[in-house]
């Protein structure tokens, strides 16, 4: 550095580590520090792996260009999806006749002994509900004995809110993706707030509520939806809801009204007993979140159609079991990439604090995976009264998530951002490249079973899900290259 | 001006008339022109009158301070209003037994010969509907003969959309302001778009639609609302709708859904025949604007309670008859202050243009008068797809209207503007002081009767309404002062 330069007033732009800033400041320099770190979470090997997956317009055969093309295909399936509510399965065992003593749960795989409080409570409740046990102690012993099989909802084509427990007797919404022909399933939202199985409660009134869903609500809704020859197309409803202040994850006020309107109209046309119709409408009327089950099933049916595109780095599932967050990637088969679940940052109901909060839980982040929820939060400024922050934060999440998304969904537009499409299709490469983790808005559960919702907030999926996914994809691509080389060598 | 000053490079700030700008520019000056004019629309006498009405904190007895206090009282009644849907009058003649051959119409008073096309068509339709005439020609001759009495809806405690014709047989929503005890009335929205009486159509199917409202919809809704002991409080619905993308003037999507939800629930509990219930629900389900009648009646019940506060310069009605816009002021009795109606600026349906448009028409600007509609348009960014402009315009209208409003309504908050209350209570003094006219969003009617809606847009009330109101208020205050002086002189 020339003496000449140092004679003049110095302006320093400092990137990354701040070690040298103090010296520059002490020397009288004007200092601007940019918070930056190299892509790849500071891991040189991972950085190389990430670099090996970046597309090159001049080299369509390189691994990254193949990933780009695969992602374009995968996200086109997301955008083309046509989820339609077509049926209600009166019992999950109709959908999966071999279910036996299986309980499905939210998030990536987890063993009974590792489950968090709310999920353990929900398992106990489900065992009581199914008559597998007569007391909570007996239910716990049954689970201890290994007599209950556990599997993630996601691996069975389903999604469940919070603990996400689905047992054989429970009714399910059935959503078909007309564009791809696949189906997805979600349990019905119980009313009753805290005292619900999804928060781990299993008191008699909780089980009575489940029984009512099974015996009254489910047949009622089944009669309505099956009386409609084309079912109920969900995409227009969700698109309209985005223009009415919903994000269809933690705000479903408009979509639930639309659902009620459709069901009310249908009910009058069916032969459902008036008392049951009244009861069903009353419960739906009281629950602004009732649509969430359909939103989740629609997103699951959408994202499953995008799964299995070779080489694609698109996230097709992002789910939390209350201990870990798991991510699945279109081109990486059935594997889960996991990291520890964080506690949401947001608002608490009076009397509760972060000390009471369970880490992030539930399959409802399938909405963010499909480009809704926090990704579309610019549509839902009023939601910040529930999850905290400001309307500007809501706009920012939608803007930021475009950084890590492959496309914008022309079917889901955001009025407050000049009707631009919501960002859709998380690319694990972009997450790692920018160090920007997917944002999820979420209800916060008490860590003790059955205490229910204690608040709501914002959480981000852990980076580890994405570092391990990138490493796996890079390894897969490298393996492919080696195989191809070997193949062409063999042919030589 | 010293020679010294002119020697240096000159920067000129020019206010108002631009006559001198050219000379300054030619002289090499940097010029900034501020578009400004003195308060009072350039009329010196009016400016003095306006000045005489400005409050002075140091002089609580001056006219302006009295006006300020009166406005605080008037707007407090607006904010305290509790409009509740309590009943349906099966026929307008129940509300006004002496109605006889009267037709109520939108806007300020207007004679039959001066009415615009859509209003003339609606008069013909109403005469046919009432059986006062058998053919359109006969109906016109009847009107020509003076045998029909015309009166503004507003003067009878009612409000009507577009042409706003209310005839004795038509059913009316009845809304009670529980805070003040007064009631307001509005006709039901006809379905059928263009082919509706409110746009001046009178074909047989239009009259059949009116008959259906009278004989099926009205009794159905009356059964529902009268079965509810407390009626249906509208303020919470409207407040919630603002958080769901409505402005409750030209966007009522969420509020109409809420209405449908309430009616559907109520219907199941009444003994209304299933076929009629189905038909009523179907019509309501198809019309996202059905709530507008209730919104208008709620706003009318609100603003009537604020009318008649001595000295108040608060606007309590702003209504258009398709020729003139009329304004009523709380402290100025029954007088209308009018100006020529403009043609809305906005979007047209394919095949139509400004050449086809009728000037601004309808009583629905009662929503803006009550601090909703365009005043709350920050809540409804998606509406710009209907009225034109951008979501930023929607934010701007809500910000701008605060300039001419007395208060913010804590009951109607705007999420996109950090949940600030919508501006409420137009002060005629402020309009004149800033030259900023109230913004109204509106459907645009074809100027020929029965052609229906041809677009939608934004319009501003003419300044003349406010200049004449300010002059009248100043004259009233001056007269009061003279009377008081005379009174105190007499006592001396």
């Amino acid at each position: 550095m020339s003496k000449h330069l140092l004679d003049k007033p110095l302006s320093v732009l400092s990137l990354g580590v701040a070690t040298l800033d103090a010296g520059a400041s002490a020397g009288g320099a004007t200092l601007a520090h940019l918070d930056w770190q190299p892509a790849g979470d500071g891991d040189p090997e991972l950085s190389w792996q990430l670099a090996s997956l970046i597309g090159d317009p001049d080299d369509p055969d390189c691994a990254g260009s193949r990933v780009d093309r695969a992602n374009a295909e995968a996200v086109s399936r997301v955008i083309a999806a046509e989820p339609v509510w077509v049926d209600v399965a009166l019992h999950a065992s109709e959908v999966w006749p071999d279910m036996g003593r299986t309980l499905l749960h939210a998030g990536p795989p987890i063993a009974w002994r590792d489950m968090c409080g709310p999920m353990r409570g929900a398992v106990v409740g489900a065992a009581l509900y199914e008559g597998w046990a007569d007391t909570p102690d007996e239910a716990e012993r049954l689970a201890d004995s290994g007599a209950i099989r556990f599997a993630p909802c996601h691996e069975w084509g389903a999604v469940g809110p919070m603990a996400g427990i689905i047992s054989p007797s429970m009714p399910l919404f059935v959503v078909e993706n007309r564009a791809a022909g696949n189906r997805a399933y979600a349990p019905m939202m119980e009313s009753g707030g805290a005292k619900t199985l999804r928060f781990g409660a299993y008191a008699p009134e909780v089980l009575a509520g489940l029984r009512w869903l099974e015996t009254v609500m489910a047949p009622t809704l089944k009669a309505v939806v099956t009386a409609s020859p084309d079912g109920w197309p969900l995409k227009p409803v969700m698109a309209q809801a985005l223009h009415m202040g919903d994000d269809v994850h933690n705000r479903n006020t408009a979509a639930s009204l639309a659902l009620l309107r459709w069901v009310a109209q249908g009910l009058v046309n069916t032969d459902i007993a008036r008392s049951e119709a009244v009861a069903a409408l009353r419960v739906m009327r009281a629950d602004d979140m009732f649509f969430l089950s359909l939103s989740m099933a629609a997103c699951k049916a959408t994202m499953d159609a995008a799964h299995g595109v070779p080489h694609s780095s698109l996230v097709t599932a992002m789910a939390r079991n209350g201990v870990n967050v798991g991510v699945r990637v279109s081109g990486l088969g059935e594997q889960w990439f996991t990291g520890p679940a964080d506690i949401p940052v947001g608002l608490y109901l009076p009397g509760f604090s972060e000390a009471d909060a369970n880490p992030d839980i539930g399959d409802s982040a399938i909405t963010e995976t499909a480009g809704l929820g926090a990704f579309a939060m610019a549509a839902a400024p009023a939601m910040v009264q529930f999850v905290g922050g400001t309307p500007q934060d809501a706009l920012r999440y939608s803007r930021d998530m475009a950084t890590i998304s492959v496309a914008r969904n022309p079917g889901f537009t955001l009025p407050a951002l000049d009707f631009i499409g919501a960002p859709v299709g998380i690319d694990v490469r972009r997450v790692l490249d920018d160090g920007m983790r997917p944002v999820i808005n979420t209800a916060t559960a008490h860590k003790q079973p059955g205490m229910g919702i204690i608040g709501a907030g914002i959480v981000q999926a852990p980076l580890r899900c994405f570092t391990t996914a990138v490493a796996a994809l890079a390894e897969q691509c490298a393996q492919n290259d080696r195989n191809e080389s070997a193949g062409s060598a063999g042919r030589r």
Side-chain angles (χ1 to χ4, degrees), chain A:
Chain A
M1 196 181 281
S2 79
K3 186 168 180 302
H4 192 63
L5 177 64
L6 286 175
D7 284 346
K8 287 195 276 184
L10 210 58
S11 294
V12 173
L13 178 66
S14 133
L15 272 73
V17 284
T19 324
L20 300 177
D21 292 4
S25 293
T30 309
L31 182 78
H33 183 85
L34 188 66
D35 186 15
W36 176 87
Q37 67 171 52
D41 198 26
D43 175 340
E45 188 186 338
L46 189 60
S47 296
W48 278 116
Q49 289 180 308
L50 177 62
S52 77
L53 292 175
I54 302 301
D56 179 353
D58 294 332
D59 183 1
D61 294 326
C62 77
S65 296
R66 281 200 306 250
V67 174
D68 287 346
R69 285 195 300 278
N71 284 353
E73 164 63 21
V75 83
S76 76
R77 297 186 194 176
V78 175
I79 292 170
E82 292 292 347
V84 178
W85 175 29
V86 293
D87 200 359
V88 169
L90 295 179
H91 304 103
S93 56
E94 292 171 18
V95 179
W96 305 295
D98 301 330
M99 196 172 179
R101 273 201 184 170
T102 306
L103 294 182
L104 305 185
H105 62 77
I110 189 166
W112 159 249
R113 67 178 174 279
D114 298 326
M115 287 179 184
C116 66
M119 191 174 280
R120 290 178 71 90
V123 166
V124 167
L128 295 172
Y129 183 66
E130 294 294 336
W132 300 342
D134 291 328
T135 66
D137 280 353
E138 213 179 301
E140 296 222 6
R141 280 198 301 275
L142 188 74
D144 288 341
S145 77
I148 300 175
R149 179 167 61 143
F150 294 102
C153 294
H154 262 294
E155 297 186 359
W156 291 43
V159 274
M162 304 311 288
I165 297 296
I166 298 175
S167 72
S169 301
M170 291 182 191
L172 297 171
F173 281 113
V174 183
V175 170
E176 182 169 298
N177 178 356
R178 286 265 160 84
N182 62 309
R183 289 185 165 201
Y185 309 90
M188 289 175 188
M189 293 291 281
E190 312 154 76
S191 54
K195 289 289 185 190
T196 51
L197 192 80
R198 67 180 184 275
F199 285 102
Y202 50 74
E205 64 267 32
V206 174
L207 305 185
L210 289 174
R211 193 71 65 197
W212 181 85
L213 282 179
E214 180 189 339
T215 55
V216 179
M217 181 66 100
T220 302
L221 294 182
K222 186 182 181 78
V224 169
V225 70
T226 54
S228 170
D230 293 324
W232 196 45
L234 295 170
K235 198 169 192 174
V237 176
M238 293 157 82
Q240 167 77 329
L242 292 188
H243 287 204
M244 296 174 70
D246 285 358
D247 74 328
V248 294
H249 182 180
N250 271 292
R251 200 171 151 99
N252 285 283
T253 312
S256 296
L257 270 176
L259 172 61
L260 183 75
R261 172 168 71 169
W262 195 74
V263 169
Q265 179 74 22
L267 270 178
V268 188
N269 284 326
T270 65
D271 289 331
I272 290 287
R274 181 168 275 218
S275 64
E276 305 206 338
V278 171
L281 287 179
R282 184 175 299 131
V283 165
M284 291 175 68
R285 194 184 150 195
D287 188 357
D288 281 346
M289 289 290 281
F290 196 79
F291 183 82
L292 177 59
S293 302
L294 283 172
S295 175
M296 287 172 61
C299 291
K300 173 65 172 167
T302 296
M303 297 315 296
D304 272 3
H307 194 73
V309 178
H311 309 298
S312 171
S313 61
L314 201 82
V315 174
T316 52
M318 186 163 61
R320 311 93 89 201
N321 59 29
V323 177
N324 288 312
V325 178
V327 153
R328 295 214 288 183
V329 175
S330 178
L332 290 172
E334 303 308 301
Q335 199 176 343
W336 287 94
F337 301 93
T338 62
D342 283 333
I343 288 179
V345 175
L347 304 178
Y348 286 92
L349 298 176
F352 297 105
S353 74
E354 200 176 312
D356 306 304
N358 200 80
D360 198 18
I361 184 168
D363 284 339
S364 57
I366 190 66
T367 55
E368 277 83 6
T369 317
L372 294 160
F375 283 53
M377 204 160 144
M383 204 216 296
V384 302
Q385 292 183 317
F386 178 57
V387 298
T390 68
Q392 286 69 38
D393 291 330
L395 297 177
R396 184 166 53 80
Y397 298 141
S398 287
R399 287 200 188 98
D400 283 355
M401 291 303 100
T403 310
I404 59 169
S405 298
V406 171
R408 289 188 177 276
N409 195 331
F412 292 137
T413 59
L414 305 173
L417 295 179
D418 285 323
F419 300 95
I420 199 166
V424 63
I426 302 164
D427 182 343
V428 294
R429 300 174 305 171
R430 293 189 185 214
V431 173
L432 201 55
D433 202 8
D434 289 296
M436 181 180 281
R437 298 176 289 148
V439 173
I440 299 163
N441 62 47
T442 185
T444 306
H446 198 289
K447 63 187 177 187
Q448 299 299 331
M451 293 289 287
I453 183 173
I454 61 170
I458 295 290
V459 70
Q460 290 180 279
L463 198 61
R464 194 171 172 278
C465 303
F466 305 92
T467 56
T468 51
V470 164
L473 190 63
E475 177 51 36
Q476 188 197 67
C477 288
Q479 186 65 43
N480 284 346
D481 287 346
R482 285 193 294 272
N483 291 349
E484 281 176 21
S485 301
S488 57
R491 280 195 300 278
R492 231 179 283 153

